Amino acid sequence: MSELFDAVDALVASRSPLPPPAERRRLRQAHGLTLDEVAAALRVRRATVSGWEAGKTEPRPPERDAYARLLKQLAELYPATDGAVPPKDTSVPDTPAAPAPAVPTPSAAEPPRAARTPTDPTPAAAPGNAAPSPTGPPAVPRPAAGTTTGPSSTSRRPGTRKAAPADPPTTDADPRFGNGPLLVIDTDDGSQVTGYGVGGLVLDVPAKSLPALVEWTLKEARIGAGRLHGSGKDADPLLVLTQAACERYGLPVQLSDAERLAGRLPDGHKILRQLDRADWRLTKRGFGPWARIYRPAQGRQRQCVQLCIPSWNALDARTWGHAAQLEPAALARVLGTYAARVVTPRGSTAVTGLELMTALNPPTRASEADETGKRHKEHRPGSLGEHPIDCAPCEAPDGHPLLAGLPRFHQRGPDEMLFEEAYDWARELTDAECMRRYLVGIDVNLAFGAAANGAVVGLATPPVHLTDPAFDPTLPGSWLVDLSHVDLSRVLVGKQWRRLEGALLPSPFTPTGERPRGPAWYATPTVAYAVELGYDVAPTEAWVREDRGRFLDGWYKRLRNAYVDTMADLDVGEKLRPPEFLTAMDGYRQRDPEMAIVLDAIKSTVKGGIGKLRERARGGGWKPGQPWPALSRPTWRPDIRAVVISRARINMHRKMLSLAAATGQYPVAVLSDCAVYAADGPGPLHVLPYDADDKTVPGSFRLGVSPGMVKHEGTQTTLWAEAVREKHGQVLNLARYIKTGEVTAKDDGE
């Protein structure tokens, strides 16, 4: 009898109900399990579990019963949050299946479909699924909306604005890109290649070689993204190759030391020969971590695919954290969210930040039709144009061709060189500050982005030289002027003259905070601030730009929205009261580590994009006085970088000045966008005065998530600061160490 019972149990186990493949994946990811962990628990291969989640295969006894038990327990912990009824499991129907509908024979003009036989015969009926394209490969069903691993909408704090979905679904607006902007290409056992897209999308990849993969991507995969501006270009499809995919397509998993130094595969590599035989080309930077493979465009039809190879350090840990170690589906979520909110990555975050400027503000547009009805390319007003322009001599960095006539070892001073940089300033604590218990650091959110908003910069014409000009705050440019007479102990705050402890404030005119000693070159916002403080200015020389505009406004708005939406995914909203905001910021990065990666990438895009405007020469046998590749870009604009950094530093000083005038509190250290204050308590509310209506000093620091507002950077004790001073015997910039309290042996900057 026991044998009969065992047989009955085995029969029941062989039909254990399972959720659809996409739901299996959602449940595993919701609990933070990897494919390897599930495979080890069920004593199967990783590829087997991946096949179950992709719908390629179904589990068999005895693993099926254990797998069903696992999924049932996870479903109790992580129910679907969108209120939709989960699609019925069709892997083991309890009634005879209806005959499959006839599939129309594709015409000769249609590209062949990728071979795919999902277990679910009706994927289009599942909630959240996109209908299969007649020309694209069928996809495994996607998770229902709202099933991301981030915090659910039902648990959000009061005042939190619901952001766009963390897993942005592909749009049906442009059928060419119905499968989203990118795919992460992976293979489990080398035989079947799988592409992981946004929103849980999984595609079979039939390509057997790298040239075939590029062909398939352009003809069948339906990935890419539409243009951000009507006169711009569509984003090329992005393929992210895992280590397994590199092995599958004949690429090295890691670059050798020589290849890493060169940043590319050597000429004559077998992959390069394969691409050459298939008539594919590479850009001048060759086959590196961010390779671009293309054929010359035919008319308006671009043929270009971008590759990203994380194991070649394409996703630098300094900006992308541990993204390179993520599972393919999780990596697709991270990069897909970034692509939807910012732009499809095209290289490092700095490169992408620069490319975003051009994508939002293209240099050319189509002209009106001529007498023959044809349109031509013409300059688009408000852009930087399509040709590089020379900077002013004072704006040129050392080694620039404009400075080739200078003596070899000549060191330019402030009266020869524009030096607009972020703050790095500190002073000793006063006796009264030493009596306070804490040092509290506050940090400005997206400071350079906020400074870019509304900045008037020169556009597509070279600068004009002026002698003894009258200062015009509406003209972007560089001005040679003496600001050493500006006395911070007596300044205009608002419309009233105020007396302050000027020695306790950094100078707004130098990054070191030291008072200028004579004439120096300054960007327009710096000179305008001297006028705002109530002092006359008399420039002796200037390089100005008549063609001007707010080139960076659209760039800032897109990155600002990306930042705020991602913070909302981390449960930090825009309309929180100061105490609620500080509470929400406590441990916010741990709520969704993948979205925290996206957040860091967005911040790096802002900072790196501004830095790229003044990219310096790097290796390659370059010698001072010779041009370097970056100079050939229309976006090589050190003057624009100077305007943004000037505004960021001035904005910081204006806030510190307003706080000092209202409360008598002065910073003890400032590093870029972080200011440190002595306080009686450990939090920002012990530095920033808020009343019962949540109002603080006008024009000063305000707590909040929006760019330009501030958050808590860190707190240390005053005793810690004294110990640091005694140990190192000098005034270190405490803002550099306020977050962790760890001090390096040498204060050599970031």
Side-chain angles (χ1 to χ4, degrees):
M1 183 65 69
S2 61
E3 294 179 358
L4 292 176
F5 288 168
D6 291 341
V8 169
D9 291 343
L11 185 62
V12 172
S14 70
R15 298 295 188 271
S16 295
L18 296 173
E23 179 68 3
R24 303 170 196 174
R25 182 181 304 105
R26 182 191 76 82
L27 292 172
R28 173 179 62 79
Q29 293 176 346
H31 201 60
L33 299 175
T34 65
L35 288 170
D36 291 324
E37 289 173 326
V38 175
L42 299 178
R43 299 178 183 178
V44 297
R45 295 187 305 121
R46 178 181 183 273
T48 302
V49 180
S50 178
W52 296 344
E53 291 188 355
K56 304 179 204 174
T57 59
E58 284 299 307
R60 298 179 180 178
E63 292 85 5
R64 184 184 181 95
D65 191 32
Y67 188 45
R69 182 182 181 88
L70 169 67
L71 296 176
K72 181 179 179 181
Q73 293 181 18
L74 293 178
E76 293 174 354
L77 292 173
Y78 307 101
T81 58
D82 60 351
V85 178
K88 185 177 179 61
D89 174 30
T90 56
S91 57
V92 186
D94 50 11
T95 57
V103 179
T105 303
S107 65
E110 279 187 318
R113 299 188 189 185
R116 185 57 179 250
T117 55
T119 305
D120 187 346
T122 57
N129 275 0
S133 165
T135 60
V140 169
R142 302 178 189 170
T147 57
T148 68
T149 58
S152 67
S153 59
T154 58
S155 61
R156 293 191 174 273
R157 302 177 186 275
T160 301
R161 181 172 64 84
K162 176 63 176 175
D167 287 331
T170 54
T171 176
D172 296 327
D174 192 333
R176 297 175 300 159
F177 312 126
N179 286 331
L182 56 88
L183 288 177
V184 178
I185 307 299
D186 189 34
T187 178
D188 292 316
D189 53 13
S191 60
Q192 176 59 53
V193 182
T194 303
Y196 295 84
V198 297
L201 176 73
V202 180
L203 298 178
D204 279 340
V205 180
K208 304 299 184 184
S209 67
L210 189 61
L213 177 64
V214 176
E215 293 274 6
W216 173 84
T217 300
L218 292 172
K219 291 182 178 180
E220 298 187 50
R222 295 196 304 131
I223 63 172
R227 64 194 68 184
L228 298 180
H229 188 281
S231 297
K233 300 176 181 177
D234 297 329
D236 296 320
L238 173 64
L239 298 180
V240 184
L241 304 183
T242 65
Q243 294 188 31
C246 287
E247 291 181 331
R248 173 66 180 80
Y249 289 115
L251 292 168
V253 172
Q254 302 284 347
L255 293 178
S256 67
D257 291 342
E259 292 167 346
R260 188 171 61 254
L261 288 174
R264 57 199 294 173
L265 293 179
D267 294 339
H269 192 280
K270 63 179 183 180
I271 287 297
L272 304 186
R273 294 198 301 269
Q274 286 182 16
L275 293 170
D276 185 63
R277 286 194 298 269
D279 293 328
W280 289 108
R281 301 181 185 180
L282 295 167
T283 57
K284 291 182 180 180
R285 62 183 176 184
F287 202 117
W290 288 93
R292 295 181 74 83
I293 303 174
Y294 74 98
R295 286 180 181 143
Q298 298 178 354
R300 298 184 63 184
Q301 185 65 34
R302 288 172 57 84
Q303 297 186 80
C304 184
V305 172
Q306 175 87 58
L307 298 187
C308 167
I309 307 178
S311 61
W312 295 8
N313 200 35
L315 300 176
D316 193 327
R318 292 172 296 180
T319 53
W320 286 101
H322 65 283
Q325 283 73 51
L326 292 175
E327 290 282 320
L331 181 56
R333 179 188 181 222
V334 167
L335 295 177
T337 303
Y338 179 90
R341 293 178 180 172
V342 182
V343 73
T344 304
R346 304 179 186 183
S348 67
T349 51
V351 169
T352 303
L354 204 64
E355 292 286 339
L356 179 63
M357 294 180 192
T358 303
L360 292 168
N361 213 327
T364 61
R365 67 182 181 185
S367 68
E368 295 294 333
D370 60 17
E371 60 276 5
T372 65
K374 292 184 178 180
R375 296 178 182 270
H376 306 276
K377 184 171 64 173
E378 66 178 12
H379 171 69
R380 200 182 136 270
S383 74
L384 300 184
E386 59 178 335
H387 302 293
I389 59 174
D390 284 336
C391 61
C394 63
E395 298 164 352
D398 291 338
H400 192 279
L402 287 175
L403 310 176
L406 292 178
R408 183 176 180 184
F409 297 106
H410 177 72
Q411 295 291 323
R412 293 188 294 162
D415 60 338
E416 298 175 277
M417 179 182 182
L418 178 69
F419 193 66
E420 294 284 9
E421 299 295 339
Y423 268 129
D424 188 350
W425 169 85
R427 61 171 175 83
E428 291 188 352
L429 276 67
T430 65
D431 292 342
E433 289 167 341
C434 288
M435 297 301 293
R436 294 188 167 186
R437 186 173 180 182
Y438 297 100
L439 293 178
V440 179
I442 52 177
D443 180 77
V444 180
N445 303 321
L446 227 61
F448 293 116
N453 185 36
V456 178
V457 301
L459 296 177
T461 57
V464 176
H465 185 252
L466 302 176
T467 303
D468 295 325
F471 175 66
D472 184 349
T474 67
L475 272 180
S478 301
W479 308 78
L480 181 61
V481 59
D482 188 350
L483 299 180
S484 60
H485 64 290
V486 178
D487 184 3
L488 294 181
S489 63
R490 184 175 181 271
V491 295
L492 274 176
V493 180
K495 296 182 179 180
Q496 295 183 341
W497 285 96
R498 301 294 296 270
R499 290 201 171 273
L500 304 173
E501 296 290 337
L504 301 182
L505 282 170
S507 168
F509 309 125
T510 63
T512 61
E514 297 179 358
R515 189 168 178 171
R517 298 180 180 179
W521 285 99
Y522 302 101
T524 299
T526 303
V527 184
Y529 188 57
V531 176
E532 179 183 327
L533 294 177
Y535 290 85
D536 294 330
V537 296
T540 58
E541 196 176 344
W543 290 89
V544 299
R545 293 165 172 84
E546 295 288 348
D547 182 19
R548 56 192 184 270
R550 295 168 60 160
F551 172 75
L552 294 172
D553 275 12
W555 184 80
Y556 160 75
K557 290 175 183 176
R558 186 164 181 87
L559 288 166
R560 184 257 181 214
N561 291 340
Y563 177 82
V564 171
D565 287 349
T566 306
M567 288 297 289
D569 286 335
L570 295 169
D571 210 6
V572 183
E574 286 190 272
K575 298 182 180 180
L576 298 175
R577 298 181 59 247
E580 294 172 344
F581 169 73
L582 293 174
T583 300
M585 288 293 293
D586 186 18
Y588 73 102
R589 300 179 64 87
Q590 283 69 50
R591 293 179 194 135
D592 191 336
E594 292 171 10
M595 286 301 101
I597 294 175
V598 177
L599 185 73
D600 288 341
I602 293 169
K603 293 192 289 186
S604 296
T605 303
V606 174
K607 191 172 183 179
I610 296 299
K612 273 282 184 180
L613 292 168
R614 191 177 179 255
E615 183 178 0
R616 305 293 295 274
R618 296 181 297 174
W622 173 82
K623 295 180 181 179
Q626 296 178 344
W628 58 92
L631 299 185
S632 64
R633 290 193 276 100
T635 49
W636 192 83
R637 294 293 300 270
D639 57 301
I640 296 180
R641 175 187 179 273
V643 168
V644 173
I645 294 181
S646 168
R647 283 170 58 92
R649 194 181 66 247
I650 295 306
N651 288 345
M652 195 76 176
H653 193 274
R654 187 182 289 111
K655 295 176 189 298
M656 294 186 294
L657 189 71
S658 297
L659 185 63
T663 68
Q665 297 185 92
Y666 294 84
V668 301
V670 184
L671 182 67
S672 187
D673 48 12
C674 174
V676 176
Y677 285 85
D680 295 322
L685 290 177
H686 296 98
V687 174
L688 308 179
Y690 275 87
D691 60 20
D693 296 326
D694 295 331
K695 294 183 178 179
T696 187
V697 177
S700 183
F701 300 104
R702 293 169 52 215
L703 288 166
V705 74
S706 296
M709 301 176 77
V710 298
K711 60 181 179 295
H712 185 202
E713 178 69 5
T715 296
Q716 304 296 330
T717 64
T718 308
L719 293 178
W720 165 83
E722 288 298 307
V724 168
R725 185 183 64 81
E726 291 179 5
K727 180 178 179 179
H728 295 275
Q730 57 181 312
V731 180
L732 298 186
N733 192 329
L734 300 178
R736 179 172 284 115
Y737 315 111
I738 195 70
K739 189 170 187 176
T740 63
E742 298 178 3
V743 182
T744 58
K746 184 179 180 181
D747 186 14
D748 55 0
E750 291 186 323

